[in-house]
Amino acid sequence: MDYFTFPNIDPVLLDLGFFQIRWYALAYISGLVFGWWYCMRLARSVPNNITVKQVDDFMVWAVLGVILGGRLGHVFFYYPGHYLANPIEIFKVWEGGMAFHGGLLGVIVAMLVFARKNKFSVFALSDLVSAAVPVGIFFGRIANFINQELWGRVTDVPWAVIFTHPNAGGLPRHPSQLYEAVMEGLIPFVVLFILTHVFKARFRPGLLTGTFCALYGLARITGETFREEEIPIDFLPFMTYGQLLSLPMLLFGLFLIGWALKQPRLVEKKA
């Protein structure tokens, strides 16, 4: 069978000699810019218990949370031995290597501290962020595909891709990055968009946050079945590391959805 052979795309989109723009960095920048714009737009709608200025101020916190948390998550969740032996490589963020769960923890810490500092419920902020973050995840998975990283398991499906990266072995594999772009990014964004704009889920604080956590957890657990395992878990041979980290997200998301639906609905303010 003739499979699609991945074209040799340069991970550097633009090279000016003294400055480079990589696909990976572009994905993060695009996700953050969209997230900033969308959260600002949502903050203007009712119930408006967080101001547009506060959302604008939080973006610096969010960027730091994503970058520091994502990088440290990659270092300590997946390859602690390698980076402890080569600590200088921890700072080479431009070469890739960001863990979603680490970035999530970084943003959670940033939201908790920022909400406490500004004296409002963390759900006023986390619901906005949850509605926007799937777009960043979508761009990130597309960048993973372009960079030929986090590829899928060997398969004989007609749409299999032969990645040219030396470590891929020249074998047809699932384009799992594209699966995850749809399952972790596109579908959650559409669902959260409908909940936000059609069913006014923001009037039930925590509902959007719980829905995002549940959808991402389920999508990541499902997507990992197609993705080449990075680090085997000796004591859990039937589960990947990504699934192990995503299971608490799924359970917490389901709990938070149930909790939010039991709370009194916020009263819509008159314009």
Side-chain angles (χ1 to χ4, degrees):
M1 182 180 294
D2 292 330
Y3 297 107
F4 174 75
T5 299
F6 192 88
N8 191 20
I9 301 176
D10 193 331
V12 178
L13 174 63
L14 180 62
D15 189 350
L16 301 178
F18 63 94
F19 180 73
Q20 292 182 337
I21 298 179
R22 293 173 174 262
W23 290 102
Y24 205 73
L26 183 63
Y28 272 85
I29 293 170
S30 301
L32 288 168
V33 169
F34 174 84
W36 168 79
W37 172 81
Y38 191 50
C39 287
M40 295 274 283
R41 182 174 180 271
L42 291 178
R44 294 188 177 95
S45 64
V46 291
N48 196 14
N49 48 2
I50 180 172
T51 67
V52 173
K53 184 181 183 305
Q54 287 171 330
V55 172
D56 195 26
D57 291 342
F58 176 70
M59 285 311 299
V60 176
W61 296 58
V63 170
L64 291 175
V66 168
I67 294 176
L68 294 177
R71 186 57 173 173
L72 292 177
H74 175 78
V75 169
F76 293 109
F77 289 166
Y78 290 94
Y79 304 104
H82 171 77
Y83 285 103
L84 289 176
N86 305 276
I88 194 65
E89 293 190 15
I90 295 176
F91 302 99
K92 296 181 179 180
V93 182
W94 59 88
E95 293 184 356
M98 301 283 282
F100 170 80
H101 296 93
L104 176 66
L105 290 175
V107 172
I108 288 174
V109 171
M111 287 191 295
L112 289 171
V113 175
F114 189 83
R116 182 178 179 84
K117 180 176 181 290
N118 289 274
K119 298 181 173 59
F120 56 74
S121 168
V122 69
F123 291 132
L125 182 57
S126 67
D127 282 349
L128 299 185
V129 173
S130 295
V133 75
V135 173
I137 297 174
F138 176 84
F139 288 143
R141 292 307 185 199
I142 297 299
N144 290 150
F145 183 73
I146 293 173
N147 285 352
Q148 297 195 63
E149 58 191 7
L150 308 181
W151 52 70
R153 300 172 190 262
V154 176
T155 182
D156 60 356
V157 296
W159 57 88
V161 174
I162 298 177
F163 293 96
T164 56
H165 191 287
N167 294 339
L171 300 171
R173 295 177 178 275
H174 283 289
S176 57
Q177 310 96 322
L178 302 183
Y179 300 170
E180 291 182 292
V182 173
M183 292 190 295
E184 299 172 10
L186 182 59
I187 292 175
F189 177 76
V190 171
V191 172
L192 291 166
F193 185 90
I194 293 172
L195 287 176
T196 300
H197 297 282
V198 178
F199 295 100
K200 297 184 177 181
R202 283 197 62 209
F203 290 90
R204 293 194 179 277
L207 182 56
L208 291 174
T209 304
T211 302
F212 166 73
C213 289
L215 287 176
Y216 180 87
L218 180 61
R220 183 65 183 269
I221 290 171
T222 303
E224 287 279 326
T225 62
F226 301 101
R227 180 168 156 180
E228 187 70 49
E229 189 172 6
E230 290 185 79
I231 303 175
I233 307 178
D234 294 335
F235 61 92
L236 287 175
F238 55 87
M239 179 176 285
T240 70
Y241 206 61
Q243 289 173 327
L244 181 63
L245 292 172
S246 299
L247 183 58
M249 278 191 71
L250 172 60
L251 298 177
F252 173 74
L254 294 174
F255 165 79
L256 192 54
I257 290 172
W259 176 86
L261 291 175
K262 292 179 181 178
Q263 303 308 304
R265 189 177 185 276
L266 297 180
V267 178
E268 184 170 356
K269 298 177 183 177
K270 301 297 182 181

